Amino acid sequence: MINFTVGPVQSDDCVKAIGAQDTPYFRTDEFSQVMLENEALVKEFAHAPEGSRTVFVTGSGTAAMEASVINTLDSNDKALVVNGGSFGARFVQLLELHGIPHTVIELERGCPLTSEDLAPYENQGYTAFLVNIHETSTGIRYNPELISEFCKRNDLYLIVDAISSFLADPLDMEEWGAGIVLTGSQKALACPPGISVVVLAPAALERVERIPMKCMYLDFGLLLENGLRGQTPFTPAVSVLLQINARLRELKERGGAIAEQERCAALAEDFRARIAHLPFQMNLSSPSNAVTSLLAPTCDAREIFETLKDEYGIWVCPNGGDHAHDSFRVGHIGNLTVDDNIALVQAFDALVQRGIIH
Ligand SMILES: *Cc1c(COP(=O)(O)O)cnc(C)c1O
C-alpha cells in the first residue's frame, strides 16, 4: 500500500527495523540517554526558548491535548479556543469536560482565522488561547504571527496543538511566545502511534507547579520530575520512543526540522500542480504542507477512497461525518516521494477513465 493519510504514515527503514525487534528493558542508563537526547532534539526542532522542557506521554495526540488542559489551566482561567473543524471541537469538548471557563471562536469550515475574528476579544480579560495551528480536518493552517501578536498584546498563555504541523510547517515556539507545543508520534515524526510529545516553555512550567494534580497518569509534574534523569513515571511505549530517537537523529543528519519542512512543502507543491486537470477543488487559502484538502462535488469521495484502497493499493485520507461523500484529503507527510505522487495521479486518471471521477 502507498499511504497518503495523515497518520499513521509511512516510516522509513531505520524506524521499521526497530519495530521488528524485542522491546528492551527501560530502567537503564542506556534508555535514559535515549530519552535525554529525544528531549534535546525535540526542543531544538521546535525552537523552544531557554528553560523549556519536553515530556513524552504514552497515548495518542489527544492525550497530550487533555494533559495540557488539566495540567496548565484551571477554573480561574478564561480561555479563548479556535474551532474550525473536528480538532478544534475536541479542544472545546475538553475545556467543557474539565470546567475551564472559555469562549469559542467558531470559524466557518475551511476558512482561515482573520484579525476580524479576533478583534472582539481584545482586552476582555482572557488568560489563555488554544489553537490547532493546522486544523487537520480541513487542511487549513492558521496564521501563527496573527495569533502570536494577539496573545502577546493581551498577555495570553498560548497552547498550540501542532500535532500535524510539527516538521511539516514552520514552527518557532520562541518567536510565537507559545507556552506549550504538542505533537504526536504518528504524524510527520513518521513513527507508529503511541507517544505524544509536549514541549513546555517556562510559562507552562510555572503553571504546572501551581496547579494541583488532577490525573495521576497524565500528570506533567511526575513526567517532568522523572524526565530530569531520562525516565518516565510508568512503563512508556518503549519501542516507539526508540523509533522516535532514530527518526530525530536521522532528521538532524539531514538538516533538521527546516529540511523536513522543505521536503513536505515540495511534495505538497508537486502534488497540487499534478492534479490541475482533475475535477477537484483545492482549498488553498491557507494550506498546511501536511495535507491537501480536496472537494470533489461531482464525485462520491467515499467511492474514490474505497476503490483506491481495494483495487490500486493506495490509501488517501477520507473525511468523516457530513463531508464523507464530497471531500477527501491527500497527505504529504511521512516517507513519501514524488514517484508516489505520480502513482496516485495515475490512479486518479484511471478512475476518470472508469467514470468514478467525473
Ligand atoms: C492527529 C491530530 C490530533 C490527535 O489525534 P489522535 O488520534 O489522538 O492522535 C490532534 N490534533 C490534530 C490537529 C491532529 O492532526
Side-chain angles (χ1 to χ4, degrees), residues 202-279:
L205 296 170
E206 181 271 315
R207 282 174 167 263
V208 172
E209 288 239 317
R210 178 164 55 77
I211 294 171
M213 186 192 293
K214 296 203 188 87
C215 167
M216 191 170 78
Y217 192 74
L218 295 177
D219 185 60
F220 283 168
L222 290 174
L223 282 158
L224 286 163
E225 186 189 321
N226 283 267
L228 285 174
R229 56 188 175 97
Q231 285 289 322
T232 52
F234 316 109
T235 308
V238 176
S239 295
V240 180
L241 288 163
L242 295 173
Q243 289 170 307
I244 288 173
N245 187 251
R247 171 76 168 142
L248 291 170
R249 281 171 158 241
E250 182 189 69
L251 287 166
K252 174 86 178 160
E253 260 166 44
R254 292 179 182 169
I258 308 261
E260 184 63 6
Q261 285 155 29
E262 284 169 356
R263 207 184 62 82
C264 291
L267 268 180
E269 196 183 332
D270 173 78
F271 173 74
R272 290 165 192 166
R274 278 180 203 283
I275 60 163
H277 64 290
L278 292 166

Side-chain angles (χ1 to χ4, degrees), residues 19-334:
Q21 287 167 15
D22 274 328
T23 303
Y25 183 63
F26 69 103
R27 298 291 189 203
T28 61
D29 289 342
E30 289 76 11
F31 187 71
S32 295
Q33 285 311 312
V34 165
M35 290 299 284
L36 293 171
E37 187 175 47
N38 283 350
E39 171 162 11
L41 286 171
V42 167
K43 283 196 290 192
E44 178 184 330
F45 292 169
H47 288 269
E50 193 64 34
S52 297
R53 293 286 314 278
T54 297
V55 294
F56 297 86
V57 178
T58 292
S60 76
T62 306
M65 292 171 75
E66 185 152 23
S68 300
V69 168
I70 63 181
N71 282 279
T72 69
L73 298 174
D74 68 13
S75 58
N76 298 316
D77 276 300
K78 187 175 162 193
L80 272 173
V81 55
V82 179
N83 182 7
S86 51
F87 292 104
R90 193 169 300 178
F91 260 148
V92 175
Q93 220 181 334
L94 286 166
L95 292 169
E96 247 151 56
L97 176 66
H98 295 292
I100 314 296
H102 62 279
T103 302
V104 184
I105 302 176
E106 294 279 358
L107 300 181
E108 218 168 297
R109 192 186 156 80
C111 289
L113 181 76
T114 64
S115 48
E116 291 78 59
D117 294 316
L118 295 176
Y121 307 107
E122 301 273 0
N123 303 313
Q124 298 292 314
Y126 287 96
T127 61
F129 193 101
L130 294 91
V131 66
N132 321 89
I133 199 70
H134 168 216
E135 173 50 79
T136 322
S137 65
T138 63
I140 299 293
R141 178 178 183 253
Y142 304 126
N143 179 343
E145 285 76 29
L146 177 76
I147 294 167
S148 162
E149 279 160 27
F150 176 82
C151 288
K152 285 176 183 165
R153 250 193 334 270
N154 289 279
D155 196 21
L156 303 185
Y157 164 67
L158 173 59
I159 297 181
V160 178
D161 165 0
I163 294 178
S164 61
S165 201
F166 179 69
L167 300 175
D169 298 312
L171 170 74
D172 193 322
M173 208 175 160
E174 181 161 27
E175 199 177 290
W176 297 358
I180 278 198
V181 164
L182 315 176
T183 191
S185 54
Q186 85 274 26
K187 304 282 169 88
L189 261 175
C191 289
I195 292 289
S196 52
V197 183
V198 184
V199 190
L200 300 99
L205 296 170
E206 181 271 315
R207 282 174 167 263
V208 172
E209 288 239 317
R210 178 164 55 77
I211 294 171
M213 186 192 293
K214 296 203 188 87
C215 167
M216 191 170 78
Y217 192 74
L218 295 177
D219 185 60
F220 283 168
L222 290 174
L223 282 158
L224 286 163
E225 186 189 321
N226 283 267
L228 285 174
R229 56 188 175 97
Q231 285 289 322
T232 52
F234 316 109
T235 308
V238 176
S239 295
V240 180
L241 288 163
L242 295 173
Q243 289 170 307
I244 288 173
N245 187 251
R247 171 76 168 142
L248 291 170
R249 281 171 158 241
E250 182 189 69
L251 287 166
K252 174 86 178 160
E253 260 166 44
R254 292 179 182 169
I258 308 261
E260 184 63 6
Q261 285 155 29
E262 284 169 356
R263 207 184 62 82
C264 291
L267 268 180
E269 196 183 332
D270 173 78
F271 173 74
R272 290 165 192 166
R274 278 180 203 283
I275 60 163
H277 64 290
L278 292 166
F280 301 141
Q281 293 162 20
M282 281 180 274
N283 184 347
L284 295 180
S285 45
S286 179
S288 166
N289 295 324
V291 71
T292 301
S293 198
L294 297 169
L295 201 60
T298 56
C299 321
D300 180 345
R302 190 76 204 180
E303 187 186 9
I304 296 173
F305 165 73
E306 296 286 350
T307 311
L308 289 174
K309 168 172 72 68
D310 296 339
E311 298 179 40
Y312 294 85
I314 292 175
W315 279 307
V316 291
C317 199
N319 288 338
D322 292 347
H323 300 279
H325 292 280
D326 68 7
S327 59
F328 65 101
R329 292 162 295 159
V330 172
H332 313 297
I333 53 178

